[in-house]
Amino acid sequence: MTIDIRADDLSDPATQALAAVHLAGMHAGSPAESVHALDLDGLRDPSVTPWSAWIRGEIAGIGALKELDARRGELKSFRTAETHLGRGVARALLRHVIAAAADRGMTSLWLETGSDEAFLPARRLYASEGFVECGPFEGYAADPLSTFMSRTV
């Protein structure tokens, strides 16, 4: 199985739909003040580069890199389509974004994810790729529903 990862301009309805599922899922599981997911306008910001993953022509996942500054990036909007869970899509996207950050000369990556049981698979994935827990960064506030992680690139 080949996972095709490409930069995405968010014009494809399939990509838009998966981004909407991601945002709705974040709002369904957390109070509004604890949701830090980007909507389509946020993903289209010039500081954000979104990617999509495709398997046999079907959307399999999305992920984005937000440039915090020339040396630091933040992972945003990582989501695997339900039909593609367990196929390595999230890991492939994560490795792709880490490589893109390195190509851009970034030296560190940061992320905010949920701290409850539903986000355990995500936290395990990030940890397995070298991310470690840290404190809030770049305007985030401490929140019992958030876990902050970072890694060097």
Side-chain angles (χ1 to χ4, degrees):
M1 168 196 66
T2 301
I3 300 172
D4 175 30
I5 299 175
R6 54 183 97 142
D8 200 305
D9 66 4
L10 305 171
S11 63
D12 190 300
T15 306
Q16 292 176 5
L18 186 54
V21 164
H22 176 67
L23 191 59
M26 297 302 97
H27 281 283
S30 301
E33 65 272 10
S34 294
V35 174
H36 305 288
L38 298 175
D39 61 13
L40 282 175
D41 287 340
L43 288 168
R44 288 185 176 118
D45 186 277
S47 68
V48 178
T49 304
W51 285 275
S52 55
W54 300 79
I55 297 175
R56 290 185 294 280
E58 183 177 297
I59 187 79
I62 57 172
L65 174 63
K66 179 180 181 181
E67 184 178 304
L68 299 175
D69 58 42
R71 300 303 223 175
R72 299 178 309 134
E74 179 182 2
L75 303 182
K76 298 298 292 183
S77 300
F78 270 74
R79 183 69 169 217
T80 300
E82 286 287 324
T83 55
H84 293 285
L85 289 172
R87 292 181 162 186
V89 172
R91 187 173 304 279
L93 270 166
L94 180 57
R95 288 179 175 172
H96 186 88
V97 172
I98 292 168
D103 288 346
R104 294 177 187 190
M106 291 182 175
T107 57
S108 64
L109 288 173
W110 304 78
L111 65 88
E112 179 278 334
T113 190
S115 61
D116 67 12
E117 193 70 24
F119 292 92
L120 183 59
R123 292 192 310 273
R124 284 183 176 156
L125 170 66
Y126 296 132
S128 75
E129 293 293 331
F131 285 84
V132 295
E133 288 190 27
C134 63
F137 63 94
E138 200 65 26
Y140 286 101
D143 182 340
L145 298 179
S146 289
T147 297
F148 302 98
M149 302 179 84
S150 67
R151 69 161 276 174
T152 57
V153 177

